[in-house]
Amino acid sequence: MDVCSVGVYDSRSVCCSVNCLSTFKIKRMQDVIVYILLCMAVAFLLKKFVFKKKKKGSCGNDNNCGCG
């Protein structure tokens, strides 16, 4: 049984209905934040592993490139 059910009549009934509404809004806001962070994480991984930057020059073939 839900704490904020309609059949409960006491001094906390108005506060309980307000808390249920705010809990719903907080839950919805958390869902939005999670999806934004998920998209950012996927974008970071795609950028890091799929869309790698091309190396400039041929460091392996040239001894004067300064690669060590």
Side-chain angles (χ1 to χ4, degrees), residues 7-50:
V8 175
Y9 295 105
D10 61 344
S11 62
R12 298 178 302 155
S13 64
V14 173
C15 294
C16 188
S17 64
V18 171
N19 286 339
C20 285
L21 181 61
S22 64
T23 302
F24 175 74
K25 287 181 181 179
I26 290 172
K27 172 77 169 115
R28 190 72 179 146
M29 187 171 53
Q30 286 176 344
D31 289 344
V32 169
I33 291 170
V34 166
Y35 285 123
I36 289 171
L37 290 175
L38 178 69
C39 290
M40 289 173 62
V42 169
F44 172 77
L45 291 174
L46 285 173
K47 180 183 170 190
K48 184 163 180 77
F49 294 111
V50 176

Side-chain angles (χ1 to χ4, degrees), residues 39-66:
C39 290
M40 289 173 62
V42 169
F44 172 77
L45 291 174
L46 285 173
K47 180 183 170 190
K48 184 163 180 77
F49 294 111
V50 176
F51 301 114
K52 291 183 179 180
K53 292 183 179 180
K54 306 281 187 204
K55 289 185 178 181
K56 295 181 180 179
S58 57
C59 188
N61 296 334
D62 189 13
N63 290 333
N64 296 327
C65 70

